[in-house]
C-alpha cells in the first residue's frame, strides 16, 4: 500500500513541478541547478523524502492496521495540532492567540467525538 501511494504521488507531482519550473527564465533555472549541486540543498530534500514521506507514511499505514478505523481517523485529525506543538518545542516557534484557540477547538472536537452519549429518545 505504501509503495503504491509513493508511486501515485510521485507521478502526480512530476507534471505540476515541470510545468511550474518551465516558466522560470534560464538565469533562474541555472541558479536552481547550481544550488542543487551542493549538500546544503540535498540534505533537506533527502530528509523530507526519506523520513517525512518514506518512514512516516509507512509507519502510519502499519500503525493503522490493527486500530479501529474511527479511532484512527480521529487521531489523524490531530496531525495539525501535533505538528504545531512540535514546531513550538523543536523550532521554538510562537503561536498567536488565534492559533492556540484553533488547536484547542480541534482537540476539543476530537474529545467530543469520542464521548459516548446515551441513546435516549429526546421526544419522549
Amino acid at each position: 500500500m505504501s509503495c503504491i501511494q509513493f508511486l501515485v504521488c510521485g507521478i502526480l507531482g512530476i507534471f505540476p513541478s515541470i510545468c511550474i519550473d518551465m516558466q522560470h527564465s534560464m538565469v533562474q533555472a541555472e541558479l536552481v541547478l547550481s544550488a542543487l549541486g551542493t549538500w546544503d540543498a540535498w540534505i533537506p530534500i533527502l530528509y523530507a523524502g526519506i523520513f517525512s514521506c518514506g518512514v512516516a507514511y509507512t509507519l502510519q499505514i502499519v500503525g493503522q492496521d490493527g486500530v479501529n478505523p474511527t479511532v484512527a481517523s480521529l487521531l489523524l485529525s490531530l496531525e495539525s495540532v501535533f505538528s504545531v506543538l512540535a514546531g513550538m518545542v523543536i523550532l521554538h516557534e510562537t503561536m498567536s492567540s488565534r492559533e492556540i484557540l484553533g488547536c484547542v477547538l480541534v482537540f476539543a472536537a476530537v474529545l467530543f467525538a469520542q464521548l459516548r452519549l446515551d441513546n435516549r429518545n429526546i421526544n419522549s
Side-chain angles (χ1 to χ4, degrees):
M1 179 72 171
S2 182
C3 290
I4 293 170
Q5 181 181 2
F6 296 142
L7 180 66
V8 170
C9 290
I11 290 171
L12 293 177
I14 286 175
F15 299 113
S17 67
I18 289 174
C19 293
I20 291 171
D21 285 339
M22 290 298 182
Q23 294 176 358
H24 297 297
S25 68
M26 286 302 271
V27 174
Q28 289 174 337
E30 289 178 15
L31 290 174
V32 169
L33 290 176
S34 67
L36 288 176
T38 66
W39 278 109
D40 291 336
W42 279 105
I43 289 174
I45 291 171
L46 291 174
Y47 174 79
I50 293 170
F51 291 109
S52 297
C53 294
V55 174
Y57 283 141
T58 303
L59 290 178
Q60 178 180 335
I61 291 170
V62 170
Q64 287 178 351
D65 187 33
V67 178
N68 182 349
T70 305
V71 174
S73 66
L74 288 171
L75 287 174
L76 289 176
S77 67
L78 288 173
E79 180 181 1
S80 60
V81 174
F82 289 131
S83 65
V84 167
L85 293 176
M88 287 177 61
V89 171
I90 296 170
L91 301 175
H92 306 290
E93 294 179 346
T94 58
M95 290 176 48
S96 68
S97 59
R98 187 176 187 179
E99 292 167 334
I100 293 171
L101 177 65
C103 286
V104 169
L105 287 175
V106 170
F107 191 73
V110 169
L111 289 178
F112 182 71
Q114 283 293 309
L115 292 177
R116 301 215 186 266
L117 301 177
D118 287 344
N119 290 333
R120 296 182 200 163
N121 192 352
I122 297 174
N123 295 328
S124 58

